[in-house]
Amino acid sequence: MAKLKRLVTNKDNIFEITNPVSEEERLERENDYPLLPDNKFATKFRRALFEPVTVKYKQQTFVIQMNGCINPYCQNFGMSQIQYDAKSKPKRYRTSQAKSGDQTALVCNPDPIKPRNVLGCTNNAISNWSIAEEIKRLSEVNSVMDMEPKYQFHKVDCVKKELTPFNHKESFYTRGKSTSNSQKYQCKSCKKMTNVLPTTKECTTYHQQRNDILPLFAELVTNKTPVSRVIEILDIGAETYYHKLEWLYKKCLEFQARHEIKLKEIDFKEVWINTDKMMYLLNNLRRKNAGSKHLMEEEEKQFPTYVVISSDILSRYVFRSDVAYNWDISLEDINEHTIKYKDDHLHLFAQKYGHLRFPHSPQPPTELDKQTKAEYEKKRNEFSLRSKYIDGLHINSTYTTIAHFWHLKQLLNTKEWRFSSDQDHSIISALMRVFAKEVRLNDLHHFIYKIDKRKTYREAMEDYADSRTAIKQWGIYNGMEDNNTTDLARLMLSEELEKHKFYEEVTKDGRLLRRWAQNPVIHPLPFKDIGYATVDCTTDVSSYKSIELARMIQKINNKSTDTFINQIRRRLSILERPLVTARGDGKSYIYSNFNPKYGQYAVTILRTFYNFCKPYKSNGKLATPAQRLGIADRVFDWKDIIYLR
């Protein structure tokens, strides 16, 4: 029987990271820290740029190294650093100062031995250690594990204290059940009575008072009822509200894990995934007794917080939704790590917390440090001021997107990957790093789907009508008026793609090179509420026939993710858009939550409901996204999720 579950914590070590810094190197840093200027210290220990980080997850070992070229048209794409056997010993990549200032750029060098299609690409270097830490965080946030309490079945002086009722049941009496339906055992020798945890079948609401309100609580949370109204309706306290929210989140993770395990059993021929990021504003509140809110020294009152979402284009199943915020990290942890590993004198790509808003703790300048005392005091004040606000730190959304894609890659078995997104560089960069091998093997293609948000609904409807008219006229002209609109649109687009190219050819050093042309085509079938959209392809699809490419482009859209984001805005009060103030002179974020942890909880709860309980009609069939994907055989409800029926 299934055991009761609990949320995973960072102490459970379900994801193990091998420390990439040896003890010898740490001691070397300790010795060199006061002897070298900060820039020379960073240069000496920059080998972390291309050093892989080894991680262990679910009895598998993975190597994380994602610094390299991310341009699919470049010959260096996805390749590791090497040194050429040529004069002056050049390397595949060199580093330079990034435009952002505090980051390092990676630049592709030409191959001196075999001149190839090397385009001199530039991208930001990232920290492999930080990527591993973010992958670990997401694995913990989205996991549950069995409760394994340590039982004491005997008194200290019992002669049979090595025996348990699990392996020697004959040495114990069964003494009925407790109020929570857990079994009681009594040792026959020392007479000690012990309760064991019930199974999920014996007790689905263990340690839950007022469990009768749970289905209504779930309905209220996912129907835009503010926290204060839920508390009033259910006659509960604020502490009970957040306790039940966490409990419902745990149940949703447990329910999802039970069904998504079937995804590993399905070999998809190809998957179509749309990825997008939703931004909401976090209310940044001071802690209690951390000073007046009217003090001059204060942080921004609202912080943009990102949620990375990926969904299946065809079934609309939402695979993941991850908030780019670490609510478990503390400034004390960062300070201790900085003192131990001297991160304040390292490049961002060599730091453990390079993905966080404060990657290191400011330290007093050394004698050879280029930082002035005034600059240090300013940085230290900013760092200290953060401790007066809510727990946790924002994460660079590129790192969250990389970790998001890494887990998505482990979740699905497929031969062909098809991704679409808007022209968000962080999404494209993350995709090319995680799926570099698949792109090189031509097993993955990425499309950019762009819409004109300035269009009114009337203009979008006009586009919709015009497109249908143009398709029918093309069909009549080509003698195919009996074909349906979808087939005609594909054939019409195929004809256009015979002459259209997503790449361009340029001459460099006497050689003809290919590169992305940023030359989109118009999607042949616009939606009524969007109008004409454009589709571009960042990967090389020149090997495909025009009719096959038209089939792929025809499937590209953002409806699956856009629909779920709209559900978040409409159904979760803490993540809704800002309201206009009563005086009409500004925006109010009165319902925005104070801790992104609860944003993650709410989005996951809604995702479970959306995937398994909310059917929609398509092609005359009413079914949920989970049914369409093939991992559920019926429509579920909240009682199924809460009581695991």
Side-chain angles (χ1 to χ4, degrees):
M1 289 186 184
K3 296 181 179 180
L4 293 177
K5 309 289 184 184
R6 63 173 177 83
L7 294 177
V8 169
T9 68
N10 52 18
K11 295 179 182 178
D12 291 317
N13 295 322
I14 65 165
F15 191 99
E16 298 176 15
I17 302 174
T18 303
N19 192 332
V21 181
S22 65
E23 184 61 18
E24 292 77 14
E25 181 177 336
R26 190 191 70 78
L27 292 173
E28 189 180 2
R29 291 183 184 185
E30 190 86 42
N31 293 330
D32 290 344
Y33 187 76
L35 304 176
L36 294 175
D38 50 352
N39 58 336
K40 290 188 177 180
F41 185 91
T43 301
K44 180 175 181 178
F45 296 102
R46 67 179 179 180
R47 55 180 171 268
L49 179 59
F50 296 106
E51 277 191 358
V53 177
T54 304
V55 302
K56 189 175 180 181
Y57 181 56
K58 293 183 177 178
Q59 284 83 49
Q60 287 184 280
T61 301
F62 302 91
V63 175
I64 308 294
Q65 203 300 99
M66 297 189 185
N67 279 314
C69 180
I70 58 172
N71 182 353
Y73 283 93
C74 180
Q75 199 68 34
N76 287 344
F77 173 74
M79 303 296 285
S80 57
Q81 175 74 305
I82 61 168
Q83 190 168 46
Y84 296 113
D85 187 15
K87 188 178 179 181
S88 74
K89 300 292 182 181
K91 295 183 178 181
R92 177 173 279 153
Y93 304 108
R94 61 181 172 86
T95 58
S96 68
Q97 188 71 26
K99 292 180 181 179
S100 56
D102 59 342
Q103 289 193 327
T104 303
L106 212 59
V107 184
C108 287
N109 279 328
D111 188 336
I113 300 173
K114 296 180 180 178
R116 299 179 297 173
N117 189 22
V118 178
L119 302 175
C121 322
T122 302
N123 68 86
N124 286 340
I126 57 177
S127 169
N128 292 314
W129 197 355
S130 293
I131 291 172
E133 288 291 333
E134 183 62 0
I135 293 173
K136 177 183 178 182
R137 185 187 74 85
L138 293 191
S139 66
E140 292 168 350
V141 164
N142 291 282
S143 299
V144 291
M145 65 188 307
D146 293 341
M147 288 186 184
E148 298 284 1
K150 292 182 179 179
Y151 296 112
Q152 188 66 40
F153 291 105
H154 308 275
K155 294 179 181 178
V156 178
D157 56 349
C158 183
V159 293
K160 295 184 178 180
K161 58 184 177 184
E162 300 300 324
L163 305 182
T164 72
F166 307 125
N167 52 24
H168 290 85
K169 205 165 187 178
E170 66 278 1
S171 299
F172 293 84
Y173 297 113
T174 54
R175 296 300 190 190
K177 300 285 186 80
S178 69
T179 53
S180 63
N181 208 29
S182 60
Q183 183 65 56
K184 294 180 181 180
Y185 291 102
Q186 185 179 29
C187 174
K188 290 182 178 180
S189 298
C190 66
K191 308 303 180 186
K192 185 179 185 303
M193 194 94 70
T194 308
N195 285 18
V196 299
L197 279 178
T199 62
T200 53
K201 189 174 182 180
E202 291 170 332
C203 183
T204 57
T205 55
Y206 184 71
H207 272 181
Q208 276 291 309
Q209 296 181 353
R210 299 283 308 277
N211 64 72
D212 56 304
I213 67 170
L214 291 171
L216 178 56
F217 174 80
E219 291 282 358
L220 293 172
V221 166
T222 54
N223 278 283
K224 208 175 183 179
T225 311
V227 177
S228 55
R229 300 292 86 78
V230 175
I231 289 171
E232 287 177 10
I233 293 168
L234 300 179
D235 191 23
I236 58 177
E239 189 175 342
T240 303
Y241 174 93
Y242 289 108
H243 173 70
K244 291 199 178 296
L245 187 71
E246 183 173 300
W247 188 88
L248 183 59
Y249 169 68
K250 181 191 69 174
K251 281 294 180 185
C252 287
L253 290 179
E254 191 176 349
F255 184 85
Q256 283 183 141
R258 181 177 290 190
H259 288 83
E260 287 187 346
I261 197 172
K262 298 174 186 175
L263 288 173
K264 278 293 181 185
E265 302 168 4
I266 303 174
D267 287 322
F268 295 98
K269 182 182 178 183
E270 58 183 8
V271 292
W272 298 80
I273 298 173
N274 178 240
T275 301
D276 201 357
K277 289 195 295 190
M278 184 192 91
M279 190 271 285
Y280 78 98
L281 290 172
L282 159 73
N283 273 329
N284 192 25
L285 293 187
R286 280 180 179 268
R287 295 171 182 269
K288 288 184 178 180
N289 304 317
S292 169
K293 64 180 179 181
H294 302 295
L295 291 176
M296 293 297 292
E297 261 193 359
E298 62 177 22
E299 290 196 320
E300 291 290 333
K301 291 183 178 178
Q302 285 92 31
F303 276 139
T305 310
Y306 290 95
V307 185
V308 186
I309 299 165
S310 286
S311 58
D312 182 57
I313 292 176
L314 305 182
S315 68
R316 295 193 183 180
Y317 186 91
V318 181
F319 292 112
R320 293 190 67 88
S321 51
D322 298 307
V323 177
Y325 194 95
N326 187 338
W327 50 83
D328 287 326
I329 195 69
S330 69
L331 297 184
E332 290 77 13
D333 294 336
I334 295 174
N335 188 53
E336 288 176 11
H337 183 84
T338 303
I339 293 171
K340 185 176 181 180
Y341 290 93
K342 311 304 178 188
D343 282 19
D344 58 313
H345 280 191
L346 296 175
H347 292 298
L348 271 176
F349 61 72
Q351 298 179 28
K352 177 180 180 179
Y353 298 121
H355 59 310
L356 298 178
R357 181 184 166 210
F358 291 107
H360 61 265
S361 166
Q363 301 297 313
T366 61
E367 189 176 337
L368 299 174
D369 204 332
K370 291 187 176 181
Q371 187 183 50
T372 65
K373 189 74 173 175
E375 289 172 337
Y376 160 71
E377 292 292 347
K378 182 182 177 183
K379 292 281 187 185
R380 191 71 200 179
N381 287 339
E382 290 175 1
F383 186 81
S384 301
L385 184 61
R386 180 63 206 167
S387 64
K388 298 179 190 232
Y389 288 80
I390 60 168
D391 293 331
L393 292 171
H394 281 85
I395 297 170
N396 183 328
S397 62
T398 300
Y399 285 87
T400 302
T401 310
I402 290 173
H404 176 96
F405 282 140
W406 190 91
H407 280 289
L408 198 59
K409 190 176 180 180
Q410 313 310 315
L411 181 67
L412 298 170
N413 290 324
T414 182
K415 296 178 180 137
E416 303 285 340
W417 298 85
R418 306 287 180 257
F419 278 91
S420 75
S421 69
D422 55 14
Q423 199 161 353
D424 186 319
H425 180 72
S426 68
I427 292 177
I428 299 172
S429 167
L431 187 69
M432 297 306 165
R433 293 178 194 274
V434 176
F435 290 94
K437 180 182 176 182
E438 287 74 14
V439 175
R440 287 186 69 84
L441 293 173
N442 215 32
D443 291 338
L444 183 147
H445 291 291
H446 172 250
F447 298 88
I448 294 175
Y449 183 81
K450 291 178 71 175
I451 62 175
D452 187 353
K453 295 182 179 179
R454 298 170 297 178
K455 281 187 179 179
T456 63
Y457 185 73
R458 182 187 181 88
E459 290 171 333
M461 282 295 293
E462 289 174 355
D463 286 351
Y464 175 82
D466 289 346
S467 68
R468 265 60 184 174
T469 302
I471 290 169
K472 287 179 181 178
Q473 288 176 348
W474 184 88
I476 293 170
Y477 180 79
N478 288 276
M480 293 181 284
E481 59 269 21
D482 293 335
N483 290 39
N484 63 48
T485 304
T486 303
D487 291 341
L488 286 174
R490 185 183 306 121
L491 293 169
M492 187 173 76
L493 179 60
S494 174
E495 185 180 88
E496 182 183 350
L497 290 172
E498 292 283 355
K499 303 173 183 177
H500 185 95
K501 291 182 179 178
F502 292 109
Y503 65 88
E504 62 184 359
E505 294 180 335
V506 295
T507 303
K508 184 179 179 181
D509 299 330
R511 288 177 290 117
L512 200 62
L513 307 179
R514 281 185 182 181
R515 68 183 183 190
W516 179 33
Q518 299 191 42
N519 182 31
V521 296
I522 296 175
H523 197 285
L525 291 170
F527 292 101
K528 293 180 181 179
D529 58 339
I530 291 176
Y532 281 116
T534 62
V535 180
D536 203 350
C537 187
T538 62
T539 50
D540 190 356
V541 289
S542 57
S543 61
Y544 288 90
K545 293 181 180 179
S546 60
I547 189 66
E548 177 62 18
L549 189 53
R551 181 190 72 85
M552 289 197 287
I553 291 174
Q554 202 169 25
K555 289 185 178 182
I556 298 300
N557 63 71
N558 68 346
K559 278 293 180 182
S560 58
T561 305
D562 195 44
T563 300
F564 182 64
I565 290 176
N566 283 334
Q567 288 291 306
I568 292 174
R569 298 293 193 189
R570 293 170 184 168
R571 286 181 170 268
L572 300 178
S573 66
I574 60 175
L575 295 169
E576 70 175 342
R577 291 183 176 88
L579 307 174
V580 178
T581 58
R583 291 189 298 181
D585 60 351
K587 294 180 179 180
S588 170
Y589 300 89
I590 187 171
Y591 293 122
S592 296
N593 73 317
F594 306 144
N595 192 333
K597 175 169 71 172
Y598 300 118
Q600 177 75 58
Y601 288 1
V603 170
T604 303
I605 290 166
L606 179 63
R607 178 162 65 92
T608 309
F609 173 78
Y610 176 86
N611 284 337
F612 293 93
C613 308
K614 197 170 187 300
Y616 68 95
K617 196 170 186 178
S618 178
N619 297 325
K621 180 183 176 183
L622 188 67
T624 63
Q627 286 177 292
R628 295 177 189 278
L629 192 64
I631 61 172
D633 56 4
R634 66 186 180 90
V635 179
F636 294 91
D637 59 29
W638 278 119
K639 290 182 179 178
D640 295 318
I641 296 171
I642 292 168
Y643 305 119
L644 292 174
R645 298 193 305 198

